[in-house]
Amino acid sequence: MTVTLKGHIDVSADRLEQIRAGLVDHIRLTRNEPGCLSFDVTEDPAIPGRFNVAEAFADSDAFRAHQTRAQASDWARISAGIPRDYCVTGLTD
């Protein structure tokens, strides 16, 4: 079953450039992961500092592998403490 994550992160003005720079590598690495069907992070044109996130993975194992890799990455360090509002569907035990 496909696992999807949709939501956003809200980035303070003083961290925007660091987040924009870090996203380049994070997006590239994620899109190359086995089981990644799509991975998009885009700045919201209507809400300053908001980045909309939409992910799809082939199954729960692929999604969990992504989470594990991301938690140990530069992205985790760069984005630490940034508020996230996500909804995950399709995740099984």
Side-chain angles (χ1 to χ4, degrees), residues 11 13 15-27 43 48-51 75 78:
V11 180
R15 295 183 69 183
L16 279 173
E17 290 309 313
Q18 184 181 28
I19 290 299
R20 287 178 182 131
L23 271 171
V24 173
D25 210 31
H26 181 55
I27 291 169
E43 287 192 61
R50 177 164 288 180
F51 290 75
W75 174 249
I78 292 166

Side-chain angles (χ1 to χ4, degrees), residues 9-12 15 19 75 78-84:
I9 62 173
D10 289 317
V11 180
S12 59
R15 295 183 69 183
I19 290 299
W75 174 249
I78 292 166
S79 66
I82 291 178
R84 290 158 163 83

Side-chain angles (χ1 to χ4, degrees), residues 44-63:
D44 192 310
I47 304 172
R50 177 164 288 180
F51 290 75
N52 296 310
V53 181
E55 314 176 1
F57 289 86
D59 54 32
S60 294
D61 289 341
F63 178 78

